Amino acid sequence: MTQLNANWVFLPRFHPGDENFKKGYYDSFLDHISLRWAQSSLFKNISDILPAADLVVSLFSTVGIEAVYKRKRVIDYLPPYVCDRLEELTGERTWNPAELGATQKADSEETLIKSIKYLFSEKGFAELQKNQERFYPTLQAGDSARKILETIESVK
């Protein structure tokens, strides 16, 4: 795998139930990336560090969606084994934010590197943000209550 910028700081927050991480599954992948690791115990919730993040790499996670709303660069890393798990959980092999272009989809180590480079280009980030704003608009005060009332009215 091509080396990434050695000045980056990697802040891993793996799902507490991720047995693969506990077994060292990610070690061989992460060995190829020249990054400084930060101690993940410095923060309790991933939301605490999202405002400072330049890039979020997610595996079909609500953290990725939260980062979309913050207009961050987001890559949904969806190699075949992740899509297998997604299908097992949802019956689908696709992840909506990635399909809509609100996140960048990567399905291998090679496309992950290409996606990172693309999102740090002016064109890539502009296209991503355009899709984020289109498909995940931020709500204004009162919008939630209005949408709830509209939904209730439409069910009557």
Side-chain angles (χ1 to χ4, degrees), residues 8 52-57 72-75 112 115-116 119-120:
W8 287 16
D54 292 318
L55 171 68
V56 173
V57 179
K72 298 293 183 174
R73 292 173 181 89
V74 182
I75 297 173
L112 179 60
S115 294
I116 291 170
L119 289 181
F120 280 92

Side-chain angles (χ1 to χ4, degrees), residues 1-2 7 10 19-20 22-23 27 37-38 48-49 62 81 89 91 97-98 107-108 110 123 129 137 145 155-156:
M1 176 188 280
T2 306
N7 293 320
F10 183 57
E19 293 299 319
N20 288 325
K22 292 176 186 170
K23 294 176 187 171
D27 291 349
W37 284 64
D48 296 342
I49 62 167
T62 56
Y81 71 91
L89 293 171
D107 60 6
S108 66
E110 291 76 27
K123 178 185 176 194
Q129 286 188 314
V155 179
K156 287 184 179 181

Side-chain angles (χ1 to χ4, degrees), residues 44-141:
K44 295 199 182 278
N45 188 319
I46 194 70
S47 297
D48 296 342
I49 62 167
L50 276 182
D54 292 318
L55 171 68
V56 173
V57 179
S58 173
L59 294 102
F60 71 89
S61 168
T62 56
V63 170
I65 295 172
E66 184 179 353
V68 165
Y69 277 107
K70 294 186 183 309
R71 307 299 185 236
K72 298 293 183 174
R73 292 173 181 89
V74 182
I75 297 173
D76 273 308
Y77 186 55
L78 302 168
Y81 71 91
V82 172
C83 290
D84 292 345
R85 181 68 175 142
L86 182 60
E87 184 175 29
E88 186 181 306
L89 293 171
T90 68
E92 302 284 331
R93 293 187 67 79
T94 59
W95 183 241
N96 204 39
E99 298 303 316
L100 294 172
T103 66
Q104 183 74 28
K105 180 180 177 181
D107 60 6
S108 66
E109 291 180 12
E110 291 76 27
T111 58
L112 179 60
I113 295 297
K114 287 178 183 176
S115 294
I116 291 170
K117 290 178 180 180
Y118 180 68
L119 289 181
F120 280 92
S121 73
E122 189 174 324
K123 178 185 176 194
F125 192 39
E127 183 179 316
L128 183 80
Q129 286 188 314
K130 181 184 81 173
N131 289 331
Q132 289 174 339
E133 291 167 6
R134 178 177 178 204
F135 296 111
Y136 292 86
T138 54
L139 298 175
Q140 303 301 316

